[in-house]
Amino acid sequence: MRFRPPKFIKRLYPSIIWNFYNDDDKTSVYLTFDDGPNPDVTPWVLEQLEKYNAKATFFCLGKNVEQYPEVFKMISEHGHSVGNHSYSHVKGFGLSVGRYVEDFDFAEEFIQTNLLRPPYARCTPLQIKMLSQRFHIIMMDIVSRDYSNKISRQHCLKNITKYVQAGSIVGLHDSKKSEKNIKYVLPRLLEFLKEKGFECKSIIL
Ligand SMILES: [Zn+2]
């Protein structure tokens, strides 16, 4: 599904990057994987990307990097970039700015990066303002809903292939929850993007 934030959201969150649309670039697509690393999913994802010489960006959880440091290491060894997705998948609403930012600080002990994605996309303008002093805040324009067990695998793939365009940031997950969908979707998506002449790149800012 395409996600185009309403104007008031863009005004409330001016520092957030939603896409990399650019008239001079007709080929780049940015796949992103959230909530990993996971030993059952992440190495498999890396293998698929490698087959297509595709690069991506992994928004990792500090607690998972702490638990699976060798899986985390594989991501950068394969030439992908990593982002901070908080330590414990924290939800911003109802938390003080200090407590919210602290969770990303905990994650920073394990993930060194200038990229950040807020979990659930739920946080206040002030929380984002604080974090954007230190990080580029990356959201997405294509939502796959690969974590959902309410949609079919085919539907999940269609959510992406129907809307993806040059400059798109595609939201995927390398988590246990999305394993069933991602293992169907990713090889087909990579094949689709290759046929269309797209090049999958890591986000590097
Ligand atoms: Zn997440």
Side-chain angles (χ1 to χ4, degrees), residues 28-132:
S28 302
V29 164
Y30 301 87
L31 303 183
T32 63
F33 295 88
D34 292 3
D35 297 359
N38 178 284
D40 297 327
V41 188
T42 311
W44 181 88
V45 166
L46 294 172
E47 206 178 292
Q48 304 308 308
L49 294 172
E50 182 139 37
K51 277 187 204 164
Y52 286 85
N53 200 18
K55 293 288 180 275
T57 308
F58 291 76
F59 289 93
C60 298
L61 292 174
K63 63 175 182 182
N64 290 347
V65 177
E66 185 175 32
Q67 199 176 353
Y68 307 114
E70 25 357 276
V71 185
F72 177 68
K73 230 174 104 192
M74 288 171 73
I75 298 172
S76 24
E77 281 170 359
H78 279 74
H80 306 286
S81 53
V82 294
N84 186 330
H85 194 46
S86 81
Y87 180 83
S88 58
H89 213 255
V90 71
K91 209 176 268 180
F93 294 165
L95 268 192
S96 73
V97 177
R99 284 279 309 284
Y100 187 67
V101 171
E102 190 179 62
D103 208 76
F104 293 91
D105 291 339
F106 288 150
E108 209 170 20
E109 278 188 43
F110 306 97
I111 311 162
Q112 278 79 48
T113 175
N114 64 354
L115 307 175
L116 182 147
R117 173 172 286 164
Y120 312 102
R122 285 192 192 148
C123 44
T124 66
L126 189 57
Q127 288 166 346
I128 286 295
K129 200 174 163 195
M130 290 301 286
L131 290 172
S132 65

